[in-house]
């Protein structure tokens, strides 16, 4: 009997040892006390809470029941409302959501209380540390017990206008930069015609204005875009004036109406964006006449900048000044007074960017070449690149349009997930397109 009992004990010990060997070697996962007996499944995923799929909802209702579907919808709505909502600050006491400097002075600093400031700082630091520990404990409890965290968390419900402001802050930089990029290169987006053979006048309301209204851009961002659009419209009118004087003639090989339109659009965009310095060259002579007349005027007085001029003269090592070289190369047959020459040199040393740009571009031309003729030659050369420019313009329009569509889709998705329609919100706020 003793041998049989010993053998039985040995068998039990061997089974226990083999069971321990079969267990995984990693740390054991414990189940929270309040979640024992909870049914767990991997059927649900993130798409159940971030999208609205009627077919998927019908499947969940058929398999798990209507109560589970209602819980998923409630969790989905609560998640979106907390992300795109706001804290209920109106429920806090007025003393905790406002700052009264007079009251702070009377309670903390007046009547010698400033001497107790170190004590108050110590108490504030200890209070902050205590609140930090409490917050960490709350986060851990929410992770271990999701039901408790969902019930203890403050409500973030807010109207859809708050969600719109948050969406604008999230998507705003990309949309604004896409608008600025397109308004720089697309005359139609600025409200100007793309050619001069078909249409002469521009649009009454530019497309960029409707996009800005749809997105709700602030005035400071609108002003920059409107300045660019107005500059483009003014430059397109200059192109039409040149075409009216017969200076912008298309090659004889361009006869098809669609090809003519693309060629005119290419020349318009090239002039508008100053591609290959065509606008600068075509306006250089008129600019020089106005600038020289103002420089030779006796009332014009510019700072001497003697120190800067002396330093630049030493660095040139005896080479002529850029203004002097430009005047000798392109205006040798013209009499220019000492005052006008000196004022042009002083303006160059003062950092006049327009003067320096025109001189740098003009000085690259051979002697005796008129800037307007060179600008027209480069402008006609752009006609051969009209197909490439059309493809680039189409890609730019597609990218900018996709940014606007992305905002519209984002608004519609947030409106549907957050259940704002149940609060009586107008669905057109999310579905309206420019």
């Amino acid at each position: 009997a003793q041998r049989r009992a010993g053998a039985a004990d040995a068998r039990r010990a061997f089974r226990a040892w083999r069971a321990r060997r079969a267990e995984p070697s990693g740390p054991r996962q414990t189940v929270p006390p309040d979640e024992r007996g909870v049914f767990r499944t991997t059927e649900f995923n993130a798409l159940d809470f971030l999208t609205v799929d009627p077919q998927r909802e019908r499947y969940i209702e058929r398999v798990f029941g209507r109560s589970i579907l209602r819980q998923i919808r409630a969790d989905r709505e609560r998640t979106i409302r907390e992300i795109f909502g706001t804290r209920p600050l109106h429920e806090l006491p007025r003393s905790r959501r406002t700052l009264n400097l007079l009251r702070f002075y009377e309670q903390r600093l007046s009547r010698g209380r400033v001497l107790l400031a170190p004590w108050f700082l110590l108490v504030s630091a200890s209070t902050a540390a205590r609140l930090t520990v409490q917050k960490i404990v709350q986060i851990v409890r929410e992770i271990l017990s999701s039901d408790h965290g969902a019930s203890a968390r403050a409500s973030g419900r807010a109207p859809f206008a708050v969600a719109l402001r948050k969406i604008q802050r999230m998507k705003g930089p990309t949309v604004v930069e896409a608008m600025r990029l397109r308004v720089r290169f697309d005359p139609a987006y600025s409200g100007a015609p793309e050619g001069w053979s078909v249409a002469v006048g521009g649009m009454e309301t530019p497309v960029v204005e409707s996009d800005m209204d749809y997105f709700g851009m602030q005035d400071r961002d609108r002003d920059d875009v409107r300045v660019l659009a107005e500059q483009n419209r003014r430059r397109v009118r200059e192109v039409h004036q040149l075409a009216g004087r017969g200076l912008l003639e298309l090659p004889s090989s361009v006869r098809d109406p669609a090809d003519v339109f693309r060629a005119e659009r290419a020349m318009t965009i090239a002039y508008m964006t100053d591609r290959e310095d065509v606008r600068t060259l075509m306006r250089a002579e008129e600019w020089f006449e106005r600038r020289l007349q103002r420089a030779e005027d006796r009332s014009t007085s510019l700072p001497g900048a003697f120190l800067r001029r002396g330093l630049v003269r030493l660095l040139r090592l005896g080479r002529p000044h850029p203004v002097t070289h430009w005047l000798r190369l392109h205006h040798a047959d013209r009499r220019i007074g000492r005052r006008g020459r000196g004022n042009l040199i002083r303006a160059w040393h003062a950092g006049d960017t327009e003067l320096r740009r025109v001189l740098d571009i003009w000085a690259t031309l051979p002697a005796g070449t008129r800037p307007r003729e060179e600008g027209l030659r480069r402008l006609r050369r752009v006609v051969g690149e009209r197909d490439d420019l059309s493809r680039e313009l189409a890609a730019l329009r597609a990218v900018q349009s996709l940014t606007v569509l992305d905002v519209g889709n984002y608004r519609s998705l947030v409106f549907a997930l957050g259940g704002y329609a149940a609060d009586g919100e107008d669905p057109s706020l999310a579905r309206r397109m420019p």
Side-chain angles (χ1 to χ4, degrees):
Q2 291 179 353
R3 285 198 299 272
R4 286 196 296 270
D9 293 339
R11 286 194 296 270
R12 284 195 295 268
F14 177 74
R15 293 193 188 98
W17 172 79
R18 189 169 57 183
R20 287 195 300 271
R21 289 289 301 271
E23 291 181 356
S25 59
R28 299 182 62 183
Q29 298 181 356
T30 60
V31 180
D34 56 348
E35 293 190 4
R36 294 185 182 276
V38 176
F39 176 72
R40 296 180 179 274
T41 178
T42 58
E43 178 68 27
F44 305 105
N45 51 54
L47 295 180
D48 294 326
F49 302 92
L50 299 179
T51 59
V52 180
D53 188 357
Q55 183 177 0
R56 174 66 177 173
E57 290 186 349
R58 288 193 297 268
Y59 170 77
I60 293 175
E61 182 180 4
R62 185 175 64 254
V63 175
F64 298 96
R66 182 174 293 274
S67 60
I68 297 298
L69 179 60
R70 284 197 300 265
Q71 184 64 32
I72 290 177
R73 290 175 177 174
D75 291 345
R76 178 198 302 160
E77 179 180 341
R78 182 172 60 249
T79 302
I80 296 299
R81 289 299 186 98
E82 290 178 357
I83 294 174
F84 293 94
T86 181
R87 294 186 60 188
L89 299 179
H90 61 281
E91 299 178 0
L92 296 177
R94 187 177 180 85
S95 59
R96 293 185 58 187
R97 53 190 172 95
T98 58
L99 176 62
N100 193 323
L101 298 179
L102 178 60
R103 183 178 300 174
F104 176 78
Y105 171 77
E106 293 177 349
Q107 294 180 355
R108 302 299 183 188
L109 301 179
S110 65
R111 299 181 181 180
R113 294 187 180 90
V114 68
L115 299 177
L116 300 177
W119 168 254
F120 288 122
L121 291 177
L122 181 61
V123 172
S124 301
S126 61
T127 303
R130 178 175 57 83
L131 294 177
T132 303
V133 174
Q134 291 179 355
K135 188 65 176 178
I136 294 175
V137 172
Q138 179 184 357
I139 293 174
V140 172
R141 287 179 177 176
E142 289 185 4
I143 294 174
L144 296 179
S145 179
S146 58
D147 295 337
H148 173 75
S151 60
R153 192 181 298 114
S155 174
R157 299 187 69 89
F160 189 62
V162 177
L164 286 178
R165 290 198 298 268
K166 289 194 174 185
I167 293 174
Q168 182 173 352
R169 288 195 296 268
M170 294 166 58
K171 302 289 186 178
T174 303
V175 175
V176 172
E177 289 303 321
M179 287 183 182
R180 289 177 178 174
L181 183 62
R182 183 177 174 184
V183 82
R184 287 179 182 274
F185 296 94
D186 192 353
Y189 194 63
S190 304
E194 301 177 70
W196 54 86
S197 298
V198 179
V200 179
M203 303 178 184
E204 296 182 0
T205 303
V207 182
V208 64
E209 290 289 341
S210 61
D211 285 352
M212 290 189 296
D213 294 337
Y214 167 73
F215 189 66
M217 289 178 57
Q218 299 182 359
D219 292 338
R220 61 175 179 268
D221 296 329
R222 292 189 181 217
D223 293 339
D224 298 338
V225 177
R226 284 171 178 170
V227 168
L228 293 175
E230 178 59 31
Q231 289 180 354
N232 290 342
R233 290 193 292 268
R234 185 175 63 252
R235 292 166 181 172
V236 170
R237 287 194 294 268
E238 295 177 3
V239 174
H240 291 174
Q241 293 176 1
L242 295 175
R245 288 184 286 179
L247 297 177
L248 303 181
E249 297 180 357
L250 299 178
S252 58
S253 58
V254 180
R255 294 302 180 188
D256 185 68
D259 206 13
V260 169
F261 173 75
R262 288 194 297 269
E264 292 180 356
R265 183 173 60 185
M267 298 176 75
T268 301
I269 295 176
Y271 185 90
M272 186 181 69
T273 59
D274 200 12
R275 182 172 181 171
E276 298 186 11
D277 307 320
V278 293
R279 189 179 71 251
T280 302
L281 289 172
M282 297 183 67
R283 300 172 58 183
E285 298 182 28
E286 298 178 2
W287 170 87
F288 174 68
E289 295 297 334
R290 294 194 306 269
R291 194 59 184 266
L292 183 61
Q293 183 178 2
R294 187 167 66 250
E296 291 182 344
D297 192 355
R298 294 183 177 275
S299 62
T300 303
S301 178
L302 298 176
F306 297 105
L307 181 60
R308 188 181 304 173
R309 292 173 61 182
L311 181 61
V312 172
R313 181 175 297 180
L314 290 177
L315 295 176
R316 287 200 309 268
L317 300 177
R319 295 192 300 271
H321 194 275
V323 176
T324 305
H325 173 71
W326 168 65
L327 292 176
R328 291 177 182 175
L329 184 63
H330 295 282
H331 302 280
D333 56 345
R334 182 167 182 174
R335 182 180 180 86
I336 300 176
R338 183 177 180 180
R339 175 183 294 274
R341 187 187 302 267
N343 283 331
L344 290 176
I345 294 176
R346 294 188 187 96
W348 191 90
H349 284 287
D352 193 332
T353 56
E354 185 181 12
L355 175 67
R356 291 191 175 190
R357 174 175 171 78
V358 174
L359 262 63
D360 291 341
I361 296 174
W362 201 337
T364 58
L365 303 181
T369 303
R370 297 188 58 184
R372 170 167 290 189
E373 296 177 355
E374 178 64 20
L376 289 174
R377 188 184 66 81
R378 296 183 182 182
L379 199 59
R380 296 189 187 99
R381 189 173 59 191
V382 174
V383 176
E385 305 172 0
R386 57 188 180 275
D387 295 333
D388 296 336
L389 194 144
S390 298
R391 286 191 292 268
E392 295 174 0
L393 184 61
L396 178 60
R397 289 175 175 177
V399 170
Q400 191 274 330
S401 300
L402 287 176
T403 58
V404 178
L405 291 175
D406 178 57
V407 173
N409 294 333
Y410 209 85
R411 289 179 177 180
S412 301
L413 183 61
V414 170
F415 188 89
L417 295 176
Y420 292 96
D423 296 344
E425 296 276 0
D426 187 7
S428 63
L429 294 176
R431 301 172 184 173
R432 181 177 61 88
M433 296 300 295

